[in-house]
Amino acid sequence: FMFDALKFNVAMVTDEGFASLEKPVHYAYAWRYKNAPATENDEKKLADDFLKAVLTQTVVGENELADYLPAYANQAINFATDDMGSDKAMGGVLLDILIVIIAFIFAVTISNTITKESKTIGTLRASGYTRFELLRHYLTMPVIVTLIAAAVGNLLGYTVFKKVVVSMYYNSYSLPIYKTIWNPAAFFKTTLIPLALMFVVNLVVIAGKMKHTPLEFLRQDLKKSRHKKAIRLPRWKFFSRFRIRIIFQNIPNYLILFFGIFFVMVMLAMAIGMPDTLDYYKENVGGMMFANYQYVLKSCDDSDGNRIFTSNDTAEAFGMKSLQRKSEAINEDISVYGISDGSRYVQINGLDVLEKGEVYISNSFRDKYGISIGDMVTLDEKYENKHYEFKVAGFYDKSLSISVFMPMEHFRSSFDLDEDEFTGFLSDTSEDNIAAVITEHDITKMCDQLDHSMGSYMQYFQVLCILLSAVMIYLLTKIIIEKNENAISMTKILGYENGEIARLYLLSTTIVLVIADAVSVFLGSLVMSAAWKMIMFSYSGWYSFEMNLVGYLKMFLFVLIGYLIVLAFDFRRIKKIPMDEALKNAE
């Protein structure tokens, strides 16, 4: 499925060092086409023709051809670039979420700024300044700040942070020396889109606010709703009723806080769920394999043309063929298995009584493509114009791969094979002279490699989410405190201590945030499960999204950590509000 960058490498030794190696020597040869094939199908045809020529030469020279691997099938050549393309798709999803969060912050910040400066705006409007002049004034600064941030971001992106990403990929793959090039697509997504978003969001918000009259600005009467009747609260203690009032008065800000936390949770679900998913499969792969060893033969005949057999009592012959499920998203390789009657390794109830054309499919196949019993599945030969249609009779749960299962008799007749032809053996013990072996180690090795290559990438996003949540919560709680400056100042005049005021205002926000945090953990994981399915359509194979209890707890605590950081700044802000604030703004 993929290459091994953790436990494989290439070394050069002296002649004496090479002579000291005890294992048999394998001679490897590489070739290049004078005229490179235009398509993969052309490459397949040329590779097959070349194989025939090489095979003829080895037979004439009384040698043996041990292996043959064309470039299109070599994961050591192709996997890194394919994986980077998948990372680009995944990063694109997270970037879209980040842009939505930024839009929220822009809208809330500028709205609060205008509300806070409403008296000044009313004075300017009464003095003859037009709506357009004030619109231009309040629009200029955010756009300038965004331009500066974009310039600094591009500068750091192509210098400091570039090295972080480069180190991640060099830690995962054996790549040549890279050359930094200007990326117009990245500039458009990370610079032009946020800049346009800043302009449009601020334009809409400011233009909406400027519809108020100068008198409404002077009176700070910018609310759309007029004199709502206060909700009658139960006869609770004073502090409890006061906190409830604060929550009701700031419902719009708390709703924005909830949606912001929700989007952060979606990103956290990706950053925490990816390692959890790989760990889940590494821990459970043993129970999802047919047998301890899955042996694949080059041919079921030996060099003399006789059928290969084994004296191992635990070995069981099986058939396997690779077909493709073609779609607009990806042409997925599907493993089709022929299973012997009464198999001790692949135990599927009802497999031996299937009609021809009926098959069982793996749960991975079902989950990825939403297939139900009775559906028809069309599979194609990868390089030939042949199609096969199978009717789904049931599902098999002990298979990690996208697979199809049918009786060996149907397998042979479907693919025009001899009556006793097979592909390999399933066994619980080791064999010799086998072309390829798939064991539990091979499956977990793939998970180890993915975890190694994606681990630092996910840790980076975890830190990003904590910082992003802290910034967003800071801006929103700052708005709530500034909105209640007069009330806080009045409570100070009445003799309340800073700690008591913090219990009134900050504890109200804390209650809302904890509830929003807990609900967002659940909703964020649901959204990520749906998004994960869309992301996996760009990959071959299937991993269902899994997250353990500790992962959910991490999601909850990471946002809470960001809030605790903000809490210290908010308490300091409350302490700085003077007692004469209420007297200065008294109507």
Side-chain angles (χ1 to χ4, degrees):
F1 296 106
M2 65 184 295
F3 71 102
D4 181 9
L6 297 179
K7 301 171 183 176
F8 173 82
N9 212 321
V10 177
M12 295 184 182
V13 299
T14 62
D15 292 339
E16 294 78 9
F18 189 81
S20 68
L21 298 176
E22 297 180 358
K23 291 188 176 182
V25 177
H26 298 273
Y27 293 93
Y29 299 87
W31 82 94
R32 295 180 64 183
Y33 299 110
K34 289 183 178 179
N35 299 313
T39 65
E40 193 171 286
N41 284 342
D42 293 339
E43 185 179 358
K44 171 66 167 61
K45 185 177 183 303
L46 288 173
D48 289 345
D49 292 342
F50 184 72
L51 175 60
K52 294 176 183 177
V54 172
L55 187 60
T56 301
Q57 295 298 317
T58 54
V59 171
V60 171
E62 297 183 353
N63 291 316
E64 180 182 354
L65 183 63
D67 196 9
Y68 179 79
L69 185 63
Y72 66 84
N74 190 343
Q75 294 288 19
I77 297 175
N78 302 316
F79 187 87
T81 51
D82 292 343
D83 186 52
M84 288 179 186
S86 301
D87 288 349
K88 181 181 177 181
M90 188 183 304
V93 173
L94 297 178
L95 178 62
D96 293 339
I97 294 172
L98 187 61
I99 288 175
V100 172
I101 295 174
I102 291 173
F104 271 120
I105 294 174
F106 288 168
V108 172
T109 303
I110 194 64
S111 177
N112 179 68
T113 300
I114 292 176
T115 301
K116 189 177 179 181
E117 299 181 4
S118 59
K119 287 187 176 182
T120 304
I121 295 172
T123 303
L124 292 172
R125 289 279 290 116
S127 302
Y129 282 88
T130 64
R131 289 189 177 95
F132 177 75
E133 288 175 315
L134 292 174
L135 174 66
R136 185 178 59 190
H137 168 74
Y138 281 100
L139 195 59
T140 301
M141 187 53 66
V143 172
I144 291 174
V145 171
T146 306
L147 279 171
I148 295 172
V152 174
N154 276 281
L155 180 63
L156 294 177
Y158 281 91
T159 54
V160 178
F161 292 110
K162 176 194 69 173
K163 296 177 182 178
V164 176
V165 178
V166 167
S167 65
M168 286 195 300
Y169 280 110
Y170 272 137
N171 190 42
S172 304
Y173 311 116
S174 298
L175 298 173
I177 297 174
Y178 73 95
K179 179 182 178 182
T180 303
I181 59 172
W182 173 256
N183 192 326
F187 180 75
F188 176 77
K189 292 180 180 179
T190 64
T191 304
L192 295 184
I193 289 181
L195 186 62
L197 192 67
M198 166 63 87
F199 180 82
V200 172
V201 169
N202 280 278
L203 179 64
V204 171
V205 173
I206 297 171
K209 290 284 187 180
M210 290 300 164
K211 291 180 180 178
H212 293 281
T213 64
L215 186 58
E216 287 174 332
F217 277 114
L218 289 170
R219 290 177 174 176
Q220 294 183 311
D221 186 17
L222 305 183
K223 295 181 180 179
K224 293 182 179 179
S225 58
R226 302 292 179 185
H227 305 295
K228 287 186 177 180
K229 187 177 180 181
I231 299 174
R232 185 176 294 277
L233 298 176
R235 292 185 177 276
W236 295 335
K237 292 181 179 179
F238 170 75
F239 272 64
S240 299
R241 298 178 69 187
F242 200 102
R243 291 188 196 103
I244 297 297
R245 290 287 184 205
I246 292 171
I247 292 172
F248 283 145
Q249 289 171 2
N250 293 279
I251 284 179
N253 291 325
Y254 285 138
L255 283 175
I256 294 172
L257 178 66
F258 170 77
F259 283 112
I261 292 174
F262 166 72
F263 284 121
V264 170
M265 281 301 179
V266 174
M267 297 175 68
L268 272 175
M270 164 66 78
I272 296 173
M274 169 70 82
D276 281 1
T277 297
L278 296 176
D279 289 341
Y280 171 82
Y281 279 98
K282 283 192 286 186
E283 292 171 2
N284 294 277
V285 68
M288 303 179 73
M289 293 189 63
F290 308 146
N292 292 337
Y293 299 89
Q294 182 177 322
Y295 300 103
V296 181
L297 305 176
K298 292 182 180 296
S299 171
C300 59
D301 296 331
D302 60 21
S303 57
D304 297 326
N306 300 318
R307 279 287 186 263
I308 294 175
F309 70 94
T310 177
S311 58
N312 188 347
D313 294 335
T314 68
E316 177 184 294
F318 74 96
M320 184 176 70
K321 185 175 179 65
S322 180
L323 298 177
Q324 275 194 342
R325 183 191 183 279
K326 296 185 177 179
S327 66
E328 294 181 1
I330 189 173
N331 292 336
E332 177 115 29
D333 288 341
I334 310 293
S335 297
V336 181
Y337 288 95
I339 305 302
S340 300
D341 293 340
S343 173
R344 61 185 293 184
Y345 298 109
V346 184
Q347 299 177 359
I348 304 178
N349 293 329
L351 184 70
D352 54 343
V353 297
L354 290 179
E355 299 290 335
K356 187 174 181 181
E358 292 184 334
V359 297
Y360 276 73
I361 65 173
S362 63
N363 285 354
S364 299
F365 198 172
R366 176 198 64 191
D367 294 341
K368 183 168 186 176
Y369 294 103
I371 298 173
S372 303
I373 293 177
D375 289 351
M376 299 299 296
V377 175
T378 301
L379 304 178
D380 301 275
E381 290 279 2
K382 191 171 183 179
Y383 302 107
E384 299 177 29
N385 190 25
K386 287 185 179 180
H387 313 281
Y388 304 91
E389 282 197 349
F390 303 107
K391 183 178 181 180
V392 177
F395 309 109
Y396 182 57
D397 60 347
K398 291 189 176 181
S399 175
L400 280 171
S401 61
I402 310 287
S403 309
V404 172
F405 303 90
M406 64 178 70
M408 180 67 90
E409 180 183 354
H410 295 176
F411 180 87
R412 288 166 176 158
S413 61
S414 297
F415 302 114
D416 299 324
L417 303 178
D418 295 339
E419 291 184 0
D420 57 349
E421 195 167 344
F422 60 94
T423 306
F425 295 109
L426 300 174
S427 176
D428 282 336
T429 57
S430 60
E431 293 275 353
D432 296 324
N433 301 322
I434 302 295
V437 184
I438 301 174
T439 66
E440 180 177 337
H441 169 72
D442 295 296
I443 304 298
T444 56
K445 181 175 66 175
M446 180 177 64
C447 293
D448 289 337
Q449 171 63 40
L450 285 171
D451 192 25
H452 183 73
S453 60
M454 299 288 292
S456 54
Y457 188 67
M458 294 299 105
Q459 290 174 4
Y460 171 79
F461 269 100
Q462 289 176 21
V463 174
L464 174 65
C465 288
I466 295 174
L467 296 175
L468 186 63
S469 63
V471 170
M472 180 192 63
I473 293 169
Y474 172 77
L475 289 172
L476 292 172
T477 54
K478 172 177 174 287
I479 290 170
I480 293 170
I481 292 172
E482 289 177 348
K483 183 180 177 182
N484 292 277
E485 278 184 349
N486 283 352
I488 293 172
S489 178
M490 183 62 71
T491 54
K492 287 187 176 183
I493 292 173
L494 294 174
Y496 284 89
E497 300 288 340
N498 289 321
E500 292 174 312
I501 297 172
R503 284 173 57 197
L504 285 172
Y505 288 92
L506 297 185
L507 188 57
S508 302
T509 302
T510 302
I511 293 170
V512 173
L513 183 130
V514 169
I515 295 172
D517 194 5
V519 173
S520 297
V521 167
F522 174 73
L523 294 179
S525 60
L526 287 181
V527 171
M528 194 61 244
S529 295
W532 177 265
K533 187 171 183 178
M534 292 188 291
I535 292 171
M536 286 302 295
F537 269 108
S538 63
Y539 288 84
S540 290
W542 174 257
Y543 286 116
S544 60
F545 186 75
E546 303 286 345
M547 190 183 298
N548 57 38
L549 184 61
V550 175
Y552 289 109
L553 186 61
K554 281 183 180 179
M555 290 173 63
F556 179 82
L557 290 178
F558 282 169
V559 172
L560 197 60
I561 289 170
Y563 175 65
L564 292 176
I565 296 171
V566 170
L567 207 58
F569 290 97
D570 287 343
F571 184 71
R572 185 180 175 187
R573 185 179 298 277
I574 287 175
K575 288 173 63 178
K576 286 186 174 182
I577 296 175
M579 284 189 286
D580 61 352
E581 184 72 22
L583 300 176
K584 287 192 300 184
N585 293 297
E587 295 184 1

